[in-house]
Amino acid sequence: MATKSKPEGRLLYAQSGGVTAVINATAAGVIEAARVKGVPVYAAHNGILGALREELIDTTKETKAAIAALRHTPGGAFGSCRYKLKSLDANRAEYERLIDVFRAHDIRWFLYNGGNDSADTALKISQLGKAMNYDIRCIGVPKTVDNDLAVTDCCPGFGSVAKYTAVSTLEASLDVASMADTSTKVFILEVMGRHAGWIAAAAGLAGEGADAPPHIILFPERPFDEAAFLAKVKATVERVGWCTVVASEGLLNAEGQFLAEAGTRDAFGHSQLGGVAPVLAALVKEKLGYKYHWALPDYLQRSARHLASKTDADQAYAVGKAAVDYALAGMNAVMPVIVRTNDAPYRWKIESAPLTKIANREKKMPASFLTKDGFGITAAARRYLAPLIQGEAPPPYGKNGLPQYITLKNAMVARKLEPFGK
Amino acid sequence: MATKSKPEGRLLYAQSGGVTAVINATAAGVIEAARVKGVPVYAAHNGILGALREELIDTTKETKAAIAALRHTPGGAFGSCRYKLKSLDANRAEYERLIDVFRAHDIRWFLYNGGNDSADTALKISQLGKAMNYDIRCIGVPKTVDNDLAVTDCCPGFGSVAKYTAVSTLEASLDVASMADTSTKVFILEVMGRHAGWIAAAAGLAGEGADAPPHIILFPERPFDEAAFLAKVKATVERVGWCTVVASEGLLNAEGQFLAEAGTRDAFGHSQLGGVAPVLAALVKEKLGYKYHWALPDYLQRSARHLASKTDADQAYAVGKAAVDYALAGMNAVMPVIVRTNDAPYRWKIESAPLTKIANREKKMPASFLTKDGFGITAAARRYLAPLIQGEAPPPYGKNGLPQYITLKNAMVARKLEPFGK
């Protein structure tokens, strides 16, 4: 039963861009917090496209247990998309359509869960209220495995891919070490990270000291120096017996070109990468003659909820809950961000930050995080990264040996408007 | 203190071939069982090479806790190798050297932990006693992620890579499903399996029914039919919205050639494969125009102790313990094998089988395990595979967020002989 103090209207939540192991934990935070306040939540099907197409999911049809299970389910439960709204001048019709949909369904709060591009979209929508005479509060909610959002100390989604990467580097290195005498001497692990080497840096947590893996990390922040790379591979194999290399997909040559340019681009104009590892492996074979193996876990790294960081899963939930609190308190054009208050023991809290300081900006790794030779991480990087992979938050497993991931009913809300555009 | 009933002599344990997530659990089973009987265990450094080179590790120097930690540590704790002994006729000197080393260190039992090739080596060594007048008992101990050993119902190491593959297929598919509207429509996961599609088949446990991933599995048992493959990808994308493909590295074309022949060969004469996924991805892009992603987890899949199957870890330990029991009971030229006594609930026991029935044989998947179109697994396959991924056996994690894997002291035994040829 609605009470007098219940806020009027509905809240719309949408997931944007590449999904993560914990973006659904944020969805759980949003929906559970809104339920406490008596605010019904709709979710846009496939991100902002669902809002444009009036494809809205009624989350009130989901059980409490189903929403709770989102907290341990990877992927995007309502669908996500890569679709960037143009500027208000360039495509006013899209913004007018969004307001039409909001108005038709009494959407008073819009929470947009994504990265840099999504923060920009959220900012534009937050400004629509005045421009189009409709009272809408828009909150950006952080999410990206790339860890490249400004202001926030870290990004939900990153801690889990960081943990996956560090653990995988450690495990594969134990394998390589066992066999190096007669088999593979150089193992190359390619990780995500278009323009910032945060994920590659996290691999550095697998070990410490010159002889511990990974022996070489290749960052997009440092142009690839073939001679220095080969010299270090050779020295490592001669000293340790084998060598583990972690390479960022965004590794650039001296001319600033991706070593593994695939030549296709996504809707945001980003290059679609993949395959720097085989390029490096061929180089090692040709120039040094070592037997190699390489791995490219691709989506496995960002969907590995089975190996999520508890810190990350907790933060993902917390930003969802905070976003609801901010929205219902009448805040607009802000994002809940993670503020670190202590390194060891790790302490953090959530605060709000203006979207103007986040939209379209990209946080690079501090230069102080890379060793002088550019092939490793410093103590400062370890201090920053270490807390983010701490703690385990395994999903429940069924008797069949698989994690019990939830598939929601995703009941669609009846349309009230004519179809939009195409 | 030695007692009168203590068996005389030492036991030598060696790891052979590609390592697994649970081969060290077998080592723990061997060492713990031998300690109970008061038999000191040496481990050969880097497999049979350590025996030839007289590089022996004294496991009595390791603490009880360290040996127990082997049970949850991936890789090969004593080193493994790819090195196949020639026949007795072709290289009698190697066998004489082995006997010299055994005699010098009072090795009375030799346990060789490996796959088909290693079972053959174990068989040859078991026959040396008479030929060279030295009393040695040799037991083969099963291990291979390829699950292709004869006689045994399954092979330690396989259940864990099977679980990793099924879980990864499920997780990545949740990711792809979220994004398919505007992004990747076809995801291809390449898995290990040179000549038998056991690991690829295990991916089928990720889901059941035509719309559940994986939608297509490509087995080395069925020559690649490009037209049928593309038709099924297209139909799946049109019906489901996206398509997950799992491809075995050993996929062959109609002419019997590997689709991803790398052209190099290992010491056993096996081709070194890698890269059928990008070949398939390029085909999908060229012929159907769909955006794709592909993953190649390589060593990650066989070293992922963090996601081990409890069934597998338990069986790996049990074959190690049984091997010691057999050896000390005076058995020779046998292997402890896993006998399934019931599917559901799953029940198994360990029995001995003669190495003559195992050496150099390769268990193929039964034809009844593949669906008629060759792109999926049957109910019979599910009945067989399902129990093998059941149960979780996570390693302990440290405060740093990493599994607490053990590195042994690996104290070397003083040499008594001159170096051996090579």
Side-chain angles (χ1 to χ4, degrees):
Chain A
M1 289 271 292
T3 67
K4 265 205 164 166
S5 65
K6 182 174 108 44
E8 294 291 327
R10 294 193 181 88
L11 185 150
L12 180 64
Y13 167 76
Q15 301 178 322
S16 178
V19 293
T20 78
V22 298
I23 186 172
N24 286 334
T26 300
V30 167
I31 296 168
E32 290 182 354
R35 284 185 175 191
V36 168
K37 301 290 177 79
V39 172
V41 174
Y42 282 178
H45 184 226
N46 293 334
I48 197 74
L49 284 174
L52 288 169
R53 295 169 177 166
E54 201 193 0
E55 291 177 4
L56 306 178
I57 292 161
D58 187 353
T59 74
T60 68
K61 306 294 188 193
E62 306 292 342
T63 64
K64 191 174 172 182
I67 299 303
L70 286 179
R71 210 161 164 172
H72 64 248
T73 298
F78 308 109
S80 183
C81 70
R82 295 199 184 280
Y83 185 83
K84 191 171 181 173
L85 290 182
K86 294 196 179 67
S87 71
L88 195 53
D89 290 341
N91 197 343
R92 190 172 180 91
E94 280 189 333
Y95 292 89
E96 285 171 348
R97 169 68 175 189
L98 283 178
I99 296 296
D100 287 346
V101 171
F102 291 171
R103 199 185 304 267
H105 294 276
D106 199 18
I107 305 296
R108 293 291 166 179
W109 306 279
F110 180 54
L111 271 48
Y112 203 37
N113 198 176
N116 303 307
D117 293 315
S118 310
D120 176 65
T121 300
L123 179 59
K124 284 173 181 151
I125 293 172
S126 74
Q127 296 161 340
L128 280 182
K130 287 180 194 166
M132 297 197 179
N133 194 28
Y134 179 78
D135 186 24
I136 181 81
R137 312 285 161 140
C138 186
I139 311 288
V141 194
K143 171 244 58 168
T144 171
V145 296
D146 291 333
N147 202 40
D148 60 356
L149 281 169
V151 186
T152 189
D153 181 68
C154 60
C155 301
F158 171 66
S160 293
V161 71
K163 188 179 183 101
Y164 175 95
T165 301
V167 172
S168 297
T169 299
L170 173 60
E171 290 181 331
S173 294
L174 288 169
D175 189 307
V176 175
S178 315
M179 306 285 300
D181 189 34
T182 54
S183 183
T184 299
K185 287 197 169 41
V186 179
F187 176 69
I188 302 167
L189 175 65
E190 173 170 344
V191 300
M192 287 181 164
R194 269 193 186 81
H195 303 304
W198 291 107
I199 298 175
L205 296 176
E208 200 164 354
D211 290 356
H215 306 98
I216 299 175
I217 306 177
L218 299 171
F219 298 96
E221 285 83 357
R222 297 287 183 101
F224 181 61
D225 179 338
E226 183 180 310
F229 167 73
L230 290 169
K232 183 146 187 175
V233 169
K234 187 161 185 283
T236 305
V237 170
E238 288 175 355
R239 191 180 73 250
V240 183
W242 50 282
C243 179
T244 293
V245 178
V246 175
S248 173
E249 63 176 344
L251 186 63
L252 302 169
N253 62 19
E255 290 74 44
Q257 299 158 328
F258 287 120
L259 255 72
E261 180 74 70
T264 57
R265 289 179 182 275
D266 71 11
F268 292 147
H270 302 143
S271 301
Q272 187 183 343
L273 305 180
V276 72
V279 171
L280 294 167
L283 184 67
V284 164
K285 180 74 181 171
E286 186 195 327
K287 299 293 172 95
L288 301 175
Y290 294 135
K291 183 178 174 188
Y292 61 82
H293 259 244
W294 53 270
L296 197 161
D298 192 62
Y299 288 158
L300 273 55
Q301 70 199 286
R302 74 179 196 190
S303 63
R305 181 60 187 79
H306 74 270
L307 189 56
S309 150
K310 182 172 190 305
T311 299
D312 187 37
D314 288 348
Q315 291 177 340
Y317 185 87
V319 295
K321 182 179 178 303
V324 171
D325 293 342
Y326 295 166
L328 298 187
M331 294 171 78
N332 191 28
V334 297
M335 175 179 276
V337 295
I338 295 154
V339 177
R340 180 185 301 227
T341 57
N342 202 54
D343 277 329
Y346 180 53
R347 297 278 180 269
W348 56 275
K349 61 180 179 180
I350 304 287
E351 285 185 356
S352 70
L355 285 174
T356 48
K357 291 195 174 175
I358 299 166
N360 290 319
R361 300 191 187 192
E362 191 171 56
K363 182 167 73 179
K364 294 264 180 188
M365 252 200 309
S368 65
F369 277 19
L370 302 192
T371 53
K372 202 182 278 182
D373 70 0
F375 291 139
I377 59 171
T378 60
R382 286 178 191 279
R383 250 190 325 274
Y384 169 78
L385 292 165
L388 307 184
I389 70 165
Q390 284 170 3
E392 292 69 53
Y397 282 78
K399 284 187 179 169
N400 62 2
L402 297 174
Q404 292 181 306
Y405 296 141
I406 186 80
T407 300
L408 298 180
K409 287 192 288 247
N410 280 357
M412 301 303 287
V413 175
R415 292 172 191 276
K416 299 186 175 189
L417 303 174
E418 294 297 308
F420 177 62
K422 61 169 190 164
Chain B
M1 289 271 292
T3 67
K4 265 202 163 166
S5 65
K6 183 173 107 43
E8 295 290 326
R10 294 194 181 88
L11 186 150
L12 180 65
Y13 167 76
Q15 301 178 322
S16 177
V19 292
T20 78
V22 298
I23 187 173
N24 285 335
T26 300
V30 166
I31 295 168
E32 290 182 353
R35 284 186 175 190
V36 167
K37 301 289 177 78
V39 172
V41 174
Y42 282 179
H45 184 226
N46 293 332
I48 197 74
L49 284 174
L52 288 168
R53 295 169 178 167
E54 201 193 2
E55 290 176 3
L56 307 178
I57 292 162
D58 187 354
T59 74
T60 68
K61 305 295 188 192
E62 307 291 343
T63 65
K64 191 174 172 182
I67 299 304
L70 285 179
R71 210 160 163 171
H72 64 248
T73 298
F78 308 109
S80 183
C81 69
R82 295 200 183 280
Y83 185 85
K84 191 171 181 174
L85 290 182
K86 294 197 180 68
S87 71
L88 196 52
D89 291 340
N91 196 344
R92 190 173 180 90
E94 280 190 332
Y95 293 89
E96 286 171 347
R97 169 69 176 188
L98 282 178
I99 296 296
D100 286 347
V101 171
F102 292 171
R103 198 186 304 266
H105 296 275
D106 199 18
I107 305 294
R108 292 291 165 178
W109 306 279
F110 180 54
L111 270 49
Y112 202 38
N113 198 177
N116 303 308
D117 293 315
S118 310
D120 176 66
T121 299
L123 179 60
K124 284 174 181 152
I125 293 171
S126 73
Q127 297 161 339
L128 280 182
K130 289 179 192 166
M132 298 198 179
N133 194 29
Y134 179 79
D135 186 24
I136 181 81
R137 311 286 161 139
C138 186
I139 311 288
V141 193
K143 171 246 56 166
T144 172
V145 296
D146 291 335
N147 203 40
D148 60 357
L149 281 169
V151 186
T152 189
D153 182 67
C154 59
C155 301
F158 171 66
S160 293
V161 71
K163 189 179 183 101
Y164 175 94
T165 300
V167 172
S168 297
T169 298
L170 173 59
E171 290 181 332
S173 294
L174 287 170
D175 188 307
V176 175
S178 315
M179 305 286 299
D181 189 33
T182 55
S183 184
T184 299
K185 287 196 168 43
V186 179
F187 176 70
I188 302 167
L189 175 66
E190 174 169 343
V191 300
M192 288 179 162
R194 268 193 186 81
H195 303 303
W198 290 107
I199 298 174
L205 297 176
E208 200 164 354
D211 290 357
H215 306 98
I216 299 175
I217 306 177
L218 299 172
F219 298 96
E221 285 83 356
R222 295 288 183 100
F224 181 60
D225 179 337
E226 182 180 311
F229 168 71
L230 290 170
K232 184 147 187 175
V233 169
K234 187 161 186 284
T236 305
V237 170
E238 288 176 354
R239 191 180 73 251
V240 182
W242 50 282
C243 180
T244 294
V245 178
V246 175
S248 173
E249 63 177 343
L251 187 62
L252 302 168
N253 62 20
E255 289 74 44
Q257 298 158 328
F258 288 120
L259 255 73
E261 180 74 70
T264 57
R265 289 179 182 274
D266 71 11
F268 291 147
H270 302 144
S271 301
Q272 187 183 343
L273 304 180
V276 73
V279 171
L280 294 167
L283 184 67
V284 163
K285 179 75 182 171
E286 184 195 327
K287 299 293 172 94
L288 302 175
Y290 295 134
K291 183 178 175 190
Y292 61 81
H293 260 245
W294 53 271
L296 198 161
D298 191 63
Y299 289 158
L300 273 54
Q301 69 198 287
R302 74 179 196 190
S303 62
R305 180 60 186 80
H306 74 270
L307 189 56
S309 150
K310 182 170 191 304
T311 299
D312 187 37
D314 287 349
Q315 292 177 340
Y317 185 87
V319 295
K321 182 179 179 302
V324 171
D325 293 343
Y326 296 165
L328 298 187
M331 295 171 78
N332 190 28
V334 297
M335 174 178 278
V337 295
I338 296 154
V339 177
R340 180 184 301 226
T341 57
N342 201 53
D343 277 329
Y346 180 54
R347 297 279 181 269
W348 56 275
K349 62 180 179 179
I350 304 287
E351 287 185 354
S352 70
L355 286 173
T356 49
K357 291 195 173 174
I358 298 167
N360 291 319
R361 300 192 186 190
E362 192 172 55
K363 183 167 71 179
K364 295 265 179 188
M365 253 200 309
S368 64
F369 278 18
L370 301 193
T371 53
K372 202 181 280 182
D373 70 1
F375 291 139
I377 60 171
T378 60
R382 288 178 189 279
R383 252 192 322 275
Y384 169 77
L385 292 166
L388 307 183
I389 69 165
Q390 284 170 4
E392 291 69 54
Y397 282 78
K399 284 187 180 169
N400 63 1
L402 297 174
Q404 293 181 303
Y405 295 141
I406 186 80
T407 301
L408 298 180
K409 288 193 289 249
N410 280 356
M412 301 303 287
V413 175
R415 291 174 191 277
K416 301 185 174 189
L417 304 174
E418 295 297 308
F420 176 63
K422 95 158 193 172

